[in-house]
């Protein structure tokens, strides 16, 4: 066990860590003071003291925002973890009341999940926990697990072909594809047959340099190749391309059912079975029993159940048990 230097800690006002965490969360002296229910001069004094003790500017004003320095970024996660542990210790583990909590959850999301989850989860939190905010983040695949481990993300929700995670995870739903097209620009028979599907021009989602994008591996497994003329990282841009051009947007069935009709697009099943990894929710194992993380996971499950109930053809999320890879 690491020995605690009680003497040095005694000489450091630990309330300064609370002030630092509030500044990191709010990016503003005024907002941080409001969060801590203190006057702005008192918060400014805390920041000045931190700068002297840590020998770093910590926050530099850029326009209206206090931009953290590299030193501040390096302190942010360990300070947040220390404060959470202290809060849990002092309250006997019952430190989370969603009705009164004021907190921002950071969730790594894939583009599909962002469009499906953010609207429903936001509406849900506004009803149940108005003080809780959601910050949706996009992380590179190789950065998701380190972010979960160091507290940079509270949860990750999305799909991946590799199942190498040693974190706790839960399957939320299986992924299906659908085709969206503008009937005013493409006179196609719905549902599309295989010959039409392979002959038309397509717009797809791509998060990398591959024109075939996110469905490239699934197409290769099926021995198929689409005539892709446009690829973009966001679903709405791909659907907008189908709205404006004689192309078929091949997207997630849930996205197609929810947003296709809003753009006046026809929605057709994909006439071939394509294998995709399911959408999973992943979290660090040390948060398995964290009350806040447990609560957030349940809100995400319920949000997906609610959205599936309102979408025809969408698959219902599974009541999956927590597993370890």
């Amino acid at each position: 066990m690491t020995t605690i230097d009680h003497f040095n800690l005694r000489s450091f006002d630990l309330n300064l860590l609370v002030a630092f965490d509030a500044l990191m969360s709010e990016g503003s002296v005024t907002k941080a003071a409001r969060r801590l229910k203190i006057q702005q001069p008192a918060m400014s004094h805390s920041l000045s003291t931190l700068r002297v003790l840590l020998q770093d500017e910590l926050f530099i004003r850029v326009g209206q925002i206090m931009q953290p320095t590299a030193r501040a970024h390096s302190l942010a996660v360990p300070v947040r973890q220390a404060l959470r542990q202290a809060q849990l210790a002092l309250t006997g583990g019952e430190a989370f009341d969603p009705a009164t909590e004021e907190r921002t959850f950071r969730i790594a999301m894939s583009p599909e999940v962002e469009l499906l989850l953010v609207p429903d989860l936001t509406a849900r939190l506004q009803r149940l926990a108005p003080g809780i905010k959601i910050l949706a983040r996009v992380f590179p695949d190789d950065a998701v697990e380190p972010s979960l481990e160091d507290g940079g993300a509270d949860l990750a929700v999305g799909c991946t072909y590799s199942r190498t995670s040693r974190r706790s995870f839960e399957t939320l739903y299986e992924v299906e594809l659908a085709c969206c097209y503008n009937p005013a620009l493409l006179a196609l028979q719905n549902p599309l047959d295989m010959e039409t599907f392979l002959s038309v021009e397509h717009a797809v989602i791509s998060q990398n340099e591959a024109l075939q994008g996110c469905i490239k591996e699934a197409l290769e497994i099926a021995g198929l190749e689409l005539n892709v003329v446009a690829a973009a990282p966001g679903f709405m841009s791909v659907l907008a391309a189908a709205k404006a051009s004689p192309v078929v947007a091949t997207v997630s069935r849930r996205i197609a059912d929810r947003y296709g009709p809003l753009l006046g697009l026809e929605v057709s099943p994909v006439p071939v079975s394509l294998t995709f990894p399911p959408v999973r929710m992943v979290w660090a194992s040390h948060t398995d029993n964290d009350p806040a993380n447990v609560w957030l996971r349940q809100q995400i499950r319920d949000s997906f159940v609610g959205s599936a109930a309102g979408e025809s053809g969408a698959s219902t999320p599974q009541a999956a048990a927590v597993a370890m890879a």
Side-chain angles (χ1 to χ4, degrees):
M1 179 181 295
T2 302
T3 301
I4 297 175
D5 190 336
H6 293 92
F7 181 79
N8 279 338
L9 277 179
R10 178 174 171 271
S11 64
F12 186 96
D13 183 357
L14 297 181
N15 286 318
L16 292 173
L17 298 183
V18 178
F20 172 84
D21 186 68
L23 284 164
M24 282 296 300
S25 297
E26 299 294 345
S28 162
V29 171
T30 301
K31 292 180 179 179
R34 188 180 304 132
R35 168 179 280 207
L36 298 183
K37 297 179 173 58
I38 62 176
Q39 296 298 313
Q40 182 173 331
M43 178 59 70
S44 297
H45 178 72
S46 294
L47 176 56
S48 298
T49 304
L50 281 165
R51 284 168 168 167
V52 171
L53 291 174
L54 299 175
Q55 299 182 354
D56 189 89
E57 281 296 298
L58 296 176
F59 300 92
I60 300 171
R61 182 171 293 282
V62 179
Q64 299 299 314
I65 301 296
M66 299 292 286
Q67 186 70 39
T69 64
R71 172 68 164 150
H73 278 297
S74 71
L75 289 169
V77 170
V79 167
R80 171 62 62 87
Q81 289 177 336
L83 292 176
R84 284 181 179 172
Q85 288 300 315
Q87 183 171 253
L88 286 170
L90 292 172
T91 58
E94 299 297 330
F96 184 76
D97 179 3
T100 59
E101 186 83 9
E102 292 189 5
R103 178 170 172 180
T104 298
F105 284 108
R106 291 166 172 80
I107 307 177
M109 298 183 187
S110 65
E112 173 185 351
V113 168
E114 179 186 350
L115 276 177
L116 294 173
L117 179 59
V118 170
D120 297 305
L121 184 58
T122 299
R124 187 174 187 82
L125 296 185
Q126 287 292 298
R127 294 194 309 270
L128 302 178
I132 291 179
K133 303 174 180 65
I134 294 297
L135 176 58
R137 305 281 304 279
V138 176
F139 288 90
D141 287 344
D142 59 357
V144 171
E145 290 195 24
S147 296
L148 289 172
E149 202 61 34
D150 66 19
D154 297 287
L155 283 173
V157 188
C159 62
T160 174
Y161 275 102
S162 62
R163 186 178 166 180
T164 59
S165 174
R166 296 179 59 81
R167 310 294 165 241
S168 298
F169 72 89
E170 175 180 326
T171 297
L172 293 171
Y173 64 88
E174 300 294 332
V175 175
E176 299 177 27
L177 294 187
C179 297
C180 293
Y181 62 92
N182 187 342
L185 301 177
L186 283 174
L188 304 179
Q189 185 70 35
N190 191 351
L192 303 184
D193 58 28
M194 178 66 80
E195 181 180 358
T196 302
F197 179 67
L198 295 178
S199 65
V200 295
E201 297 178 324
H202 288 261
V204 300
I205 299 297
S206 179
Q207 310 279 288
N208 50 42
E209 297 303 314
L211 188 62
Q212 297 283 327
C214 297
I215 64 173
K216 180 176 184 293
E217 188 168 341
L219 290 169
E220 290 176 346
I221 292 172
L224 301 174
E225 184 174 354
L226 297 183
N227 181 14
V228 177
V229 298
F235 279 90
M236 292 308 294
S237 57
V238 170
L239 290 175
K243 170 74 172 177
S245 308
V247 300
V248 170
T250 301
V251 299
S252 156
R253 179 77 199 209
R254 286 178 173 238
I255 295 291
D257 286 339
R258 183 161 188 167
Y259 292 102
L262 295 178
L263 294 172
L265 302 178
E266 286 276 343
V267 178
S268 166
V270 171
V272 62
S273 177
L274 296 176
T275 303
F276 275 85
V279 166
R280 294 189 178 102
M281 179 164 56
V282 185
W283 62 95
S285 56
H286 64 77
T287 63
D288 274 344
N289 299 313
D290 173 61
N293 203 283
V294 169
W295 180 86
L296 179 61
R297 298 197 299 265
Q298 187 59 51
Q299 304 318 304
I300 290 173
R301 292 185 199 100
D302 292 344
S303 294
F304 275 121
V305 169
S307 64
E311 297 163 10
S312 62
S315 53
T316 303
Q318 302 174 2
V322 174
M324 291 296 291

